[in-house]
């Protein structure tokens, strides 16, 4: 039920962290994956390591995103799976102190880019007989947050985008879902992993009492992209060890 043999995929932000884990998991199930990030050198290196095609793409650039889709069509012959993973956190702090230029960039990369890429790719997924898109949201979008407000706001929009697109594209056999990871151990989260006070507080709020792994988020993406998730669409799958549902006791 998780076999993806012959499927053709794009994964943005796939040179490290969750994005790379998703790409590796799709490949392990038989998919061919176009590797992509904004960094030309990183993209080439990871594409070579995974023995897959790669193209650098700044998702804030609409023309670059069209080039990514065109490259995938030329290289793989079609698109069956789209994973919109690229994103940035932006500057921390309350909305009262928001830098509106930073706000615009966070919104452009985390939300607008996913709208644009879905508009470019979903018609080709439909033309291939149907498939799946997985949009990366966040646990932060499901709770109040005093530090990464713009990021959380953008990610809430991503979850709604998945619902809207699921309604729009479902009749053409295209499923669209979101994933909301909680606290995941990555290179970017290492400073928090090293902060004993933060970890004690956060793990007390997490029933499984540990951070998640990138492989666990990737497993959710494989489920949503594969026949195992064939009747799931418009859903926001929370992968957080139970943080969302606990009262901290």
């Amino acid at each position: 039920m998780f076999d993806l043999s012959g499927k053709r995929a794009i994964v943005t932000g796939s040179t490290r962290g969750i994005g790379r884990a998703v790409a590796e998991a799709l490949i392990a199930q038989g998919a061919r994956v176009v590797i992509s990030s904004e960094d030309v050198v990183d993209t080439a290196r990871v594409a070579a390591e995974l023995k897959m095609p790669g193209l650098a793409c700044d998702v804030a650039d609409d023309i670059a995103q069209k080039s990514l889709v065109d490259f995938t069509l030329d290289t793989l012959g079609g698109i069956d799976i789209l994973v919109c993973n690229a994103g940035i956190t932006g500057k921390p702090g309350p909305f009262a102190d928001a830098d509106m230029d930073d706000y615009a960039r966070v919104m452009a990369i985390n939300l607008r880019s996913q709208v644009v890429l879905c508009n470019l790719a979903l018609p080709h997924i439909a033309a291939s007989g149907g498939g799946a898109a997985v949009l990366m949201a966040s646990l932060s979008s499901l709770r109040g947050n005093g530090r990464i407000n713009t990021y959380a706001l953008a990610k809430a929009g991503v979850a709604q985008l998945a619902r809207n697109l699921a309604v729009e594209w479902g009749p053409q056999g295209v499923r669209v879902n979101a994933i909301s990871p909680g606290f995941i151990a990555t290179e970017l989260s290492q400073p928090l992993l090293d902060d004993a006070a933060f970890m004690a507080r956060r793990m007390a709020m997490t029933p499984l009492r540990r951070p998640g792994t990138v492989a666990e988020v990737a497993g959710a993406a494989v489920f949503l992209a594969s026949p195992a998730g064939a009747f799931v669409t418009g859903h926001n799958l929370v992968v957080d060890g139970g943080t969302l549902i606990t009262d901290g006791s």
Side-chain angles (χ1 to χ4, degrees):
M1 294 184 74
F2 297 93
D3 182 35
L4 296 172
S5 296
K7 299 301 182 183
R8 302 152 298 182
I10 298 172
V11 181
T12 64
S14 49
T15 58
R16 62 180 178 177
I18 290 173
R20 176 160 180 165
V22 170
E24 290 176 346
L26 295 176
I27 293 165
Q29 295 300 324
R32 291 176 291 162
V33 178
V34 170
I35 305 302
S36 181
S37 80
E38 77 287 354
D39 189 291
V40 174
V41 174
D42 282 351
T43 299
R45 174 181 55 80
V46 174
E49 290 172 357
L50 300 181
K51 297 180 174 58
M52 290 288 156
L55 183 71
C57 174
D58 177 356
V59 296
D61 182 338
D62 294 2
I63 295 174
Q65 293 213 90
K66 184 178 186 304
S67 295
L68 179 61
V69 170
D70 290 343
F71 174 81
T72 304
L73 295 173
D74 291 343
T75 305
L76 302 184
I79 307 171
D80 305 290
I81 299 166
L82 171 67
V83 181
C84 294
N85 169 75
I88 60 171
T89 304
K91 297 178 182 178
F95 276 126
D97 298 329
D99 176 332
M100 296 311 292
D101 289 336
D102 181 71
Y103 174 94
R105 179 161 174 77
V106 171
M107 284 294 189
I109 291 175
N110 292 351
L111 180 57
R112 186 183 185 278
S113 72
Q114 297 202 28
V115 175
V116 172
L117 190 53
C118 284
N119 282 341
L120 290 167
L122 296 193
H124 297 290
I125 296 177
S128 294
V134 179
L135 315 183
M136 205 59 68
S138 170
L139 176 65
S140 67
S141 72
L142 297 169
R143 310 191 309 164
N145 196 301
R147 291 286 292 167
I148 49 174
N149 287 322
T150 303
Y151 175 84
L153 182 60
K155 292 299 190 176
V158 169
Q160 183 61 38
L161 176 63
R163 290 186 284 267
N164 288 355
L165 291 175
V167 171
E168 183 176 343
W169 287 95
Q172 297 183 61
V174 180
R175 297 181 297 106
V176 185
N177 292 286
I179 296 176
S180 283
F183 184 66
I184 307 298
T186 67
E187 178 184 335
L188 293 179
S189 67
Q190 192 60 50
L192 294 176
L193 291 165
D194 293 338
D195 185 333
F198 169 83
M199 290 300 294
R201 183 174 68 253
R202 186 56 181 263
M203 293 306 99
M205 298 168 57
T206 302
L208 292 185
R209 297 296 192 265
R210 64 173 178 84
T213 69
V214 293
E216 289 165 335
V217 181
V222 169
F223 163 69
L224 292 173
S226 71
F231 204 53
V232 180
T233 196
H235 183 63
N236 183 12
L237 178 55
V238 180
V239 183
D240 73 340
T243 304
L244 180 64
I245 55 86
T246 187
D247 63 0
S249 61

